[in-house]
């Protein structure tokens, strides 16, 4: 598949109405009894949407961490739950991309509701995402977190600018998955902390947890997985993938069944790597919806749920594994139960749903090589970095680290460079010469040369341009060959490249404002936020990279 196809013809959508809400007694419903719902928010002036329809009272964003677009077609017939419902009933964009280079979790989540690429959210990778020692967690010694590196606004801010009574709830298995979709807004933002076995927040948002979350934590659902055994949900014949593949999980424990620890505290520490984490995250989100009466008033509220398990299982067992297949089927069921419960609580004609992913994934290079003959490799550029640093030292850097390679970006310390009397582009040129011949390296671009790249024909250059903020201290960028990964043999399947395996993600819009159908023009996840803003009836308050997906918005 070519990298980032340009726009082409689109399918003709057909209109449909939402089916009546289906009420199901589910695990989710059983898990969500905390807290009486407060009275609805006072009436807000209803903003007319383009179609003259009353604005939604609830916008729901599901981000499935590491959900590759092709999983929908690969497992289509088995998706009878929530993923299947959205896939069959929504406006489905089959050629949607995170159209920037470093396809990691933090930049991916920062793009969903901001409508902007990392060059303007300035969330460049996970390390430069949410870690913040000045914002400790409530009731935990784990690393603090905040959105303080995030720049600009999101849909939540645009709605709040129109209606200050609007509220947002964001829940995830991981901090960056909860924090970054919302941006800087101090809303209800909670994530799972494996060190304590509880959902928490950071001091950026609050000094204490709300009563409903304390009650939810007291149910000890993560501890409740102790002693469970993860077996495939479906019959063996339902899985085309071999179970026993020694490249998986670092060669240790790579076949079903997987037994969880019998000790509850130990189970709570590892639950994030099991399918049960998504069920627990959805249960927390539903408890919050009930307790906050989210979407139950006349304002438009926002619920963001980032489901982290697919990422954990995808890293460990890879995208071609029986384990990831089973995870996606289980996620489908959990999401179906959640939607049933949500529609039992809220008028489905006033709810809009979006589903996307922060990134895709690339499989184990050894397996890619064996199965496709592609020259996929593990790549380590320590030698090129060392040689570049020695070159700087020889020019007077005095042994002070002047460069660092992170997520394919060569960061430079301008003070050290000034001491060595060399410019960033000279360092980039030396590093490029040292790194270019290394097997698995496709290209090294000097940041200075990207500005003149042909962004239509050269999708990789375009994705790097969408990545790098102006004036960022980044002198060069490295792109590996398709199928290659950073690291050493025995590492995890991973993502983070500008290639389509990592960049191609689902993008589905579901609910009355959207025209059901398949759309195969090239779109970006950055187009999601302006499209949601359109159907909510609020204008973005800053310039965006994304554009409204006009064809998916029903005209009447
Ligand atoms: Zn991720």
């Amino acid at each position: 598949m070519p990298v980032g196809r340009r726009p082409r013809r689109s399918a003709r959508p057909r209109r449909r109405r939402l089916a009546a809400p289906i009420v199901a007694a589910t695990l989710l419903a059983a898990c969500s009894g905390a807290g009486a719902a407060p009275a609805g928010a006072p009436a807000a002036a209803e903003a007319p949407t383009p179609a003259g329809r009353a604005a939604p009272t609830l916008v729901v964003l599901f981000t499935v961490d590491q959900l590759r677009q092709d999983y929908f077609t690969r497992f289509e017939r088995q998706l009878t739950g929530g993923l299947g419902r959205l896939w069959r009933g929504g406006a489905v964009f089959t050629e949607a991309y995170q159209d920037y280079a470093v396809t990691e979790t933090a930049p991916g989540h920062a793009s969903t509701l901001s409508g902007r690429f990392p060059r303007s959210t300035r969330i460049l990778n996970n390390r430069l995402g949410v870690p913040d020692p000045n914002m400790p967690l409530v009731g935990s010694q784990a690393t603090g977190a905040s959105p303080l590196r995030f720049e600009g606004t999101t849909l939540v801010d645009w709605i709040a600018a129109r209606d200050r009574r609007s509220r947002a709830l964001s829940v995830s298995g991981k901090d960056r998955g909860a924090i970054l979709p919302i941006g800087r807004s101090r809303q209800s933002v909670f994530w799972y902390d494996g060190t304590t076995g509880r959902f928490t927040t950071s001091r950026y948002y609050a000094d204490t947890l709300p009563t409903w979350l304390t009650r939810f934590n007291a149910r000890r659902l993560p501890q409740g997985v102790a002693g469970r055994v993860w077996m495939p949900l479906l019959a063996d014949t339902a899985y085309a993938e071999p179970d026993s593949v020694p490249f998986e999980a670092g060669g240790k424990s790579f076949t079903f069944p997987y037994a969880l620890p019998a000790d509850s505290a130990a189970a709570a520490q590892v639950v994030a790597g099991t399918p049960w984490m998504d069920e627990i995250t959805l249960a927390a989100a539903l408890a919050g919806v009930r307790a906050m009466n989210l979407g139950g008033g006349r304002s438009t509220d926002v619920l963001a749920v980032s489901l982290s398990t697919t990422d954990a299982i995808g890293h460990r067992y890879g995208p071609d594994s029986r384990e990831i297949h089973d995870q996606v089927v289980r996620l489908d069921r959990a999401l179906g139960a959640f939607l049933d419960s949500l529609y039992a609580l809220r008028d489905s004609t006033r709810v809009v749903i979006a589903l996307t992913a922060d990134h895709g994934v690339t499989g184990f290079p050894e397996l890619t090589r064996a199965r496709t003959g592609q020259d996929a490799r593990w790549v380590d550029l320590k030698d090129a970095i060392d040689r570049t640093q020695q070159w700087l030292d020889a020019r007077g850097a005095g042994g002070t680290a002047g460069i660092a390679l992170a997520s394919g970006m060569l960061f430079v310390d301008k003070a050290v460079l000034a001491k060595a009397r060399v410019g960033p582009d000279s360092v980039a040129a030396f590093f490029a010469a040292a790194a270019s011949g290394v097997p698995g390296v496709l290209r090294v671009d000097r940041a200075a040369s990207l500005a003149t790249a042909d962004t239509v024909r050269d999708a990789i250059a375009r994705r790097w341009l969408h990545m790098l903020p102006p004036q960022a201290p980044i002198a060069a960028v490295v792109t590996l060959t398709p199928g290659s990964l950073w690291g050493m043999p025995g590492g995890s399947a991973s993502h983070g490249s500008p290639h389509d395996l990592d960049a191609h993600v689902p993008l589905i819009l579901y609910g009355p404002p959207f025209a059901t159908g398949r759309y195969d023009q090239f779109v970006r996840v950055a187009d999601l936020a302006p499209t949601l803003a359109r159907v909510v009836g609020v204008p973005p308050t800053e310039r965006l990279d994304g554009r409204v997906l006009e064809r998916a918005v029903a005209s009447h």
Side-chain angles (χ1 to χ4, degrees):
M1 185 184 297
V3 173
R5 282 182 218 167
R6 302 306 299 166
R8 54 196 177 94
R9 72 183 172 82
S10 85
R12 274 204 184 74
R14 64 185 193 282
R15 298 286 320 281
R16 76 178 277 287
R17 301 197 68 80
L18 276 184
I22 302 163
V23 183
T26 65
L27 166 69
L28 294 173
C31 292
S32 61
E46 291 189 14
T49 61
R53 184 184 285 117
T57 59
L58 186 61
V59 174
V60 183
L61 168 67
F62 295 111
T63 307
V64 180
D65 206 306
Q66 204 188 104
L67 188 70
R68 232 164 58 175
Q69 156 67 23
D70 64 299
Y71 292 171
F72 276 93
T73 43
R74 211 167 114 199
F75 310 134
E76 185 170 22
R77 283 182 300 162
Q78 295 167 355
L79 301 180
T80 58
L83 290 176
R85 184 172 183 173
L86 301 182
W87 172 253
R88 283 181 273 278
V92 176
F93 288 85
T94 56
E95 295 292 332
Y97 295 83
Q98 292 282 17
D99 197 32
Y100 53 77
V102 179
T103 44
E104 294 185 11
T105 296
H109 282 85
S111 289
T112 52
L113 293 183
S114 70
R116 292 175 290 119
F117 297 131
R119 71 178 174 200
S120 89
T121 65
R122 289 189 172 252
I123 299 297
L124 302 188
N125 64 5
N126 287 345
R127 210 183 302 171
L128 298 170
V130 299
D132 184 349
N134 296 320
M135 292 293 173
L137 307 193
V138 175
S140 170
Q141 301 302 312
T143 313
S146 82
L148 285 171
R149 290 186 197 85
F150 181 95
E151 294 205 356
T153 58
T154 69
L155 176 71
V156 170
D157 302 301
W158 313 335
I159 297 173
R162 179 67 65 86
D163 176 4
R164 293 177 60 184
R165 286 163 291 208
S166 165
R167 294 152 312 144
L169 167 66
S170 188
V171 182
S172 174
K174 59 175 79 158
D175 52 8
R176 49 190 172 267
I179 292 171
L180 291 168
I182 300 297
R184 287 190 169 219
S185 186
R186 284 184 160 84
Q187 297 280 347
S188 299
V189 177
F190 307 108
W191 58 91
Y192 184 65
D193 170 21
T195 67
T196 60
R198 293 193 286 261
F199 281 83
T200 188
T201 189
S202 86
R203 305 277 169 175
Y204 178 84
Y205 300 99
D207 293 331
T208 57
L209 299 182
T211 305
W212 69 264
L213 190 61
T214 302
R215 287 183 184 160
F216 180 84
N217 284 330
R219 299 176 66 91
R220 293 172 54 86
L221 297 182
Q223 291 77 7
V225 303
R228 286 197 201 170
V229 177
W230 177 22
M231 289 285 290
L233 186 71
L234 308 176
D236 267 8
T237 51
Y239 302 86
E241 305 81 7
D243 183 20
S244 180
V245 179
F247 297 118
E248 297 173 6
K252 299 184 276 279
S253 182
F254 46 83
T255 54
F256 284 105
Y258 298 100
L260 270 70
D263 175 70
S264 61
Q269 282 179 14
V270 301
V271 67
T274 76
W276 291 293
M277 189 71 235
D278 285 348
E279 289 183 20
I280 294 168
T281 304
L282 287 164
L286 199 62
V289 167
R290 285 180 195 272
M292 294 171 65
N293 195 32
L294 205 74
R298 297 185 67 186
S299 298
T300 301
D301 294 333
V302 175
L303 170 66
V305 183
S306 174
L307 298 162
S308 310
T309 302
T310 306
D311 184 71
I313 292 175
H315 277 297
R316 190 166 174 80
Y317 304 100
D320 306 307
S321 62
R322 182 170 294 200
E323 288 82 355
I324 199 71
H325 182 161
D326 193 62
Q327 158 57 18
V328 173
V329 170
R330 286 174 178 272
L331 167 67
D332 170 66
R333 305 300 191 266
L335 206 53
F338 179 87
L339 291 177
D340 290 343
S341 300
L342 183 68
Y343 284 144
L345 290 174
R346 301 287 174 260
D347 174 0
S348 66
T349 66
R350 303 292 296 279
V351 175
V352 299
I353 294 175
L355 182 140
T356 190
D358 52 346
H359 51 74
V361 64
T362 296
F364 303 102
E366 297 91 338
L367 213 51
T368 302
R369 246 190 344 260
R371 290 181 177 174
T372 69
Q374 230 174 307
D375 188 23
R377 293 173 180 265
W378 292 103
V379 181
D380 177 15
L381 290 183
K382 184 174 183 307
D383 184 55
I385 289 290
D386 287 349
R387 282 165 57 199
T388 307
Q389 180 65 45
Q390 285 158 13
W391 178 78
L392 279 175
D393 290 344
R395 273 155 186 76
T400 313
I403 52 170
L405 187 66
S407 309
M409 299 177 282
L410 184 73
F411 287 81
V412 293
D413 183 328
K414 289 182 176 169
V416 175
L417 266 52
K419 210 170 148 199
R421 295 188 184 172
V422 294
D425 202 41
S426 304
V427 178
F430 185 92
F431 171 76
S436 291
V438 175
V441 171
L442 178 68
R443 58 196 266 183
V444 182
D445 290 276
R446 293 180 293 121
S449 68
L450 283 171
T452 56
D454 179 342
T455 56
V456 174
R457 289 206 175 85
D458 185 350
I460 288 175
R462 180 180 76 241
R463 287 180 175 167
W464 279 114
L465 279 168
H466 290 170
M467 193 70 225
L468 306 181
Q471 311 303 323
I474 297 167
V477 294
V478 183
T479 306
L480 304 183
T481 57
S484 291
L485 290 176
W486 295 105
M488 310 292 273
S492 299
S494 200
H495 50 85
S497 83
H499 297 303
D500 285 352
L501 283 176
D502 294 351
H504 191 184
V505 293
L507 181 62
I508 302 179
L509 299 161
Y510 184 87
F514 303 113
T516 300
R518 294 283 183 275
Y519 301 81
D520 64 358
Q521 76 262 32
F522 173 85
V523 300
R524 296 88 43 88
V525 173
D527 298 328
L528 179 57
T531 306
L532 291 173
R534 167 70 64 84
V535 303
V536 169
V538 299
T541 56
E542 67 177 302
R543 192 169 167 208
L544 306 184
D545 295 309
R547 293 185 290 262
V548 177
L549 298 170
E550 302 276 359
R551 286 175 182 169
V553 180
S555 56
H556 57 277

